[in-house]
């Protein structure tokens, strides 16, 4: 099947709408000139609205992991304790990254389980320079309680470093209200742009913490990003991926034209439609929720039904032109995931559910085709 006919329903990269693709084909410009400076300023202003912050915001030419590494690499030195909260693959990534720079205090929960806030408090009370959290744990489809972690971080005077890679731009994220010192997002997720850029907000507290660093990363030095952004012509320290900046600017304009609240509502409704549909098909969600955690509003993780691997469902869907995701690492084969982020439409979701129901019917998991699509359609009607 031609890639132009494939529907990406995975948790990033997401489909890029033609308007954004076209924006990328503009001629290259001087990255130290006025035109780039205006584009960067425009992006940073819109990003501040999306992050809900007055903190400095920078755009890094590198995917979400680059921004995660900048966050820990610029604030944590070898004898600094970092509490790393893990309930999925990306929490694990933060632990591994932080371990390169500092002294990790790992807090590991089963992937897909809720975070025990009492345990987090216990660890922070022992003293830590920082705490890392993945707000929306993509690998397990669970939304973690960022606001509560922010309160604990303040109480014990730890920096709060948050991965908002698959929540910012699609869900309600309040960087300043929650006291997030460093927040990161990737371009290829809820914002709807191609992969390759990451955006990072940095508080004054985080910049203060950089003052006693003996060494800073070179390419990912956030002080260098701040210095370049503060020049008369706003710029990045090194040559930026200009075509991706064009795409980012266009995608941010699309976010603002839709309206952030409307966009968040569309994401929430989309994920709810997936959940209602799979529930009608007798499929269970992976996350074990408590009173603080929620199902993700941007990616839904479902347990593979009895006798069928999540990878088989993924393969069957691909034959029908739809790319969904399986489970990562220890969840491989055990789950399947449907992304509903970025500029995904109700029509995309309905086609996906219809094909999923057909696939499950052919595999003998559901006895008739219809209940799933009806459930999804009922939820999505709210967006009409
Ligand atoms: C929650 C989360 N954090 C970090 C990453 C890593 O981002 P990237 O692949 O852009 O480096 C991802 C990618 O899927 C993610 O979902």
């Amino acid at each position: 099947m031609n890639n132009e006919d494939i529907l990406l329903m995975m948790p990033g990269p997401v489909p890029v709408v033609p308007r954004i693709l076209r924006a990328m084909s503009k001629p290259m410009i001087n990255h130290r000139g006025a035109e780039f400076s205006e584009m960067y300023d425009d992006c940073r202003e819109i990003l501040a609205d999306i992050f809900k912050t007055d903190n400095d915001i920078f755009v890094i030419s590198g995917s979400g992991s680059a921004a995660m590494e900048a966050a820990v690499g610029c604030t944590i030195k070898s004898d600094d304790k970092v509490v790393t909260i893990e309930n999925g693959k990306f929490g694990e990534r933060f632990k591994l990254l932080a371990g390169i720079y500092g002294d990790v205090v790992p807090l590991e929960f089963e992937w897909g389980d809720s975070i025990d806030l009492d345990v987090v408090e216990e660890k922070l009370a022992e003293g830590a320079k920082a705490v890392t959290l993945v707000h929306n744990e993509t690998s397990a489809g669970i939304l973690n309680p960022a606001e509560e972690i922010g309160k604990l971080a303040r109480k014990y005077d730890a920096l709060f470093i948050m991965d908002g890679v698959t929540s910012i731009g699609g869900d309600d994220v309040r960087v300043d209200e929650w006291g997030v010192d460093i927040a990161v997002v990737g371009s290829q997720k809820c914002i709807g742009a191609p992969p390759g850029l990451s955006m990072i907000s940095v508080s004054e507290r985080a910049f203060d913490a950089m003052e006693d660093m003996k060494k800073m990363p070179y390419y990912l030095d956030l002080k260098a990003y701040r210095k370049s952004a503060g020049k008369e012509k706003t710029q990045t320290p090194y040559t930026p991926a200009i075509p991706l900046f064009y795409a980012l600017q266009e995608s941010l304009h699309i976010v603002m034209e839709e309206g952030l609240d409307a966009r968040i509502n569309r994401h929430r409704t989309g994920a709810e439609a997936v959940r209602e549909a799979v529930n009608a098909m007798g499929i269970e969600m992976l996350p074990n929720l408590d009173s603080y955690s929620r199902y993700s509003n941007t990616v839904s993780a479902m347990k593979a039904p009895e006798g069928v691997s999540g990878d088989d469902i993924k393969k069957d869907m691909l034959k029908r032109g739809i790319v969904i995701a399986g489970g990562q690492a220890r969840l491989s084969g055990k789950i399947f995931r449907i992304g509903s982020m970025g500029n995904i439409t109700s029509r995309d979701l309905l086609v996906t559910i219809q094909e999923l129901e057909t696939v499950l019917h052919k595999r003998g998991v559901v006895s008739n085709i219809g209940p799933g699509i009806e459930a999804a359609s009922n939820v999505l009607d709210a967006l009409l």
Side-chain angles (χ1 to χ4, degrees):
M1 196 174 293
N2 185 324
N3 272 352
E4 294 201 359
D5 296 328
I6 294 269
L7 175 59
L8 289 183
M9 294 298 290
M10 49 192 275
V14 297
V16 177
V17 297
R19 191 175 142 187
I20 298 173
L21 287 175
R22 280 195 298 274
M24 274 199 295
S25 63
K26 287 189 284 190
M28 290 311 100
I29 48 172
N30 173 12
H31 62 293
R32 309 278 177 224
E35 216 178 318
F36 181 82
S37 167
E38 279 162 25
M39 172 165 65
Y40 192 21
D41 279 340
D42 184 34
C43 290
R44 292 173 77 228
E45 252 174 55
I46 300 175
L47 286 165
D49 286 345
I50 295 175
F51 279 57
K52 301 197 175 109
T53 186
D54 291 330
N55 290 338
D56 259 333
I57 295 198
F58 313 110
V59 180
I60 297 174
S61 294
S63 73
S65 305
M68 290 169 80
E69 183 146 17
V72 289
C74 292
T75 54
I76 306 297
K77 50 187 186 328
S78 57
D79 53 352
D80 288 334
K81 290 215 178 320
V82 196
V83 174
T84 57
I85 304 172
E86 167 184 343
N87 61 347
K89 172 87 185 152
F90 295 103
E92 179 191 56
R93 181 168 302 179
F94 243 157
K95 174 182 73 184
L96 297 175
L97 270 172
I100 294 170
Y101 297 94
D103 183 7
V104 162
V105 181
L107 256 188
E108 295 162 2
F109 301 96
E110 205 41 68
W111 290 9
D113 276 1
S114 296
I115 291 163
D116 185 336
L117 292 171
D118 293 338
V119 180
V120 176
E121 173 147 24
E122 250 168 57
K123 291 290 170 203
L124 285 176
E126 288 166 16
K129 170 95 171 273
V131 54
T132 66
L133 174 78
V134 176
H135 182 212
N136 188 66
E137 180 46 82
T138 319
S139 64
I142 189 166
L143 187 67
N144 289 317
E147 189 171 3
E148 277 69 27
I149 300 293
K151 282 182 197 149
L152 291 175
R154 275 288 179 279
K155 183 168 173 193
Y156 296 102
D157 198 26
L159 289 175
F160 180 20
I161 300 176
M162 189 186 86
D163 170 335
V165 170
T166 52
S167 58
I168 296 175
D171 208 345
D172 188 21
V173 176
R174 298 162 186 249
V175 164
D176 287 358
E177 202 179 306
W178 299 349
V180 186
D181 290 295
I182 304 188
V184 307
V185 67
S187 53
Q188 78 279 27
K189 311 284 189 183
C190 301
I191 286 170
L197 296 180
S198 48
M199 286 62 81
I200 183 164
S201 72
V202 187
S203 72
E204 266 327 303
R205 257 163 52 100
F207 278 118
D208 289 347
M210 292 176 210
E211 288 312 313
D212 65 335
M213 291 293 285
K214 294 185 189 83
K215 280 185 188 170
M216 290 287 269
Y218 189 90
Y219 191 75
L220 297 172
D221 181 347
L222 292 169
K223 280 163 69 176
Y225 275 84
R226 179 185 231 190
K227 191 168 165 206
S228 296
K231 289 188 175 164
E232 195 187 321
K233 287 202 185 78
T234 319
Q235 51 195 267
T236 53
Y238 318 107
T239 313
I242 294 170
L244 294 177
F245 272 73
Y246 287 145
L248 175 68
Q249 186 183 32
E250 198 66 24
S251 56
L252 293 174
H253 285 179
I254 291 174
V255 172
M256 285 338 231
E257 284 163 24
E258 180 176 13
L260 189 56
D261 289 345
R263 192 173 182 87
I264 292 168
N265 183 45
R266 177 170 58 76
H267 278 79
R268 288 187 169 171
T269 309
E272 190 191 338
V274 174
R275 290 196 300 273
E276 287 299 320
V278 295
N279 183 39
M281 296 184 232
I283 305 280
E284 265 181 79
M285 302 300 293
L286 172 74
N288 261 326
L289 299 185
D290 66 5
S291 56
Y292 292 102
S293 55
R294 300 279 178 271
Y295 290 120
S296 165
N297 292 310
T298 64
V299 52
S300 305
M302 282 70 65
K303 291 183 187 165
E306 191 72 30
V308 182
S309 155
D311 291 340
D312 290 335
I313 298 174
K314 187 178 141 183
K315 279 184 207 143
D316 290 354
M317 291 293 281
L318 184 58
K319 283 192 202 142
R320 293 164 178 273
I322 299 176
V323 184
I324 61 166
Q328 293 168 283
R330 71 179 77 155
L331 290 173
S332 175
K334 296 182 180 154
I335 63 166
F336 63 102
R337 292 173 298 148
I338 296 179
S340 48
M341 57 182 75
N343 295 312
I344 289 291
T345 62
S346 294
R347 189 179 52 194
D348 298 332
L349 278 161
L350 286 171
V351 169
T352 305
I353 296 301
Q354 160 133 26
E355 294 294 20
L356 177 67
E357 202 161 32
T358 307
V359 160
L360 294 177
H361 184 249
K362 286 197 182 301
R363 285 198 172 263
V365 177
V366 295
S367 48
N368 56 327
I369 298 175
I373 190 81
E374 190 182 351
S377 170
N378 284 341
V379 175
L380 290 168
D381 273 358
L383 294 176
L384 291 176

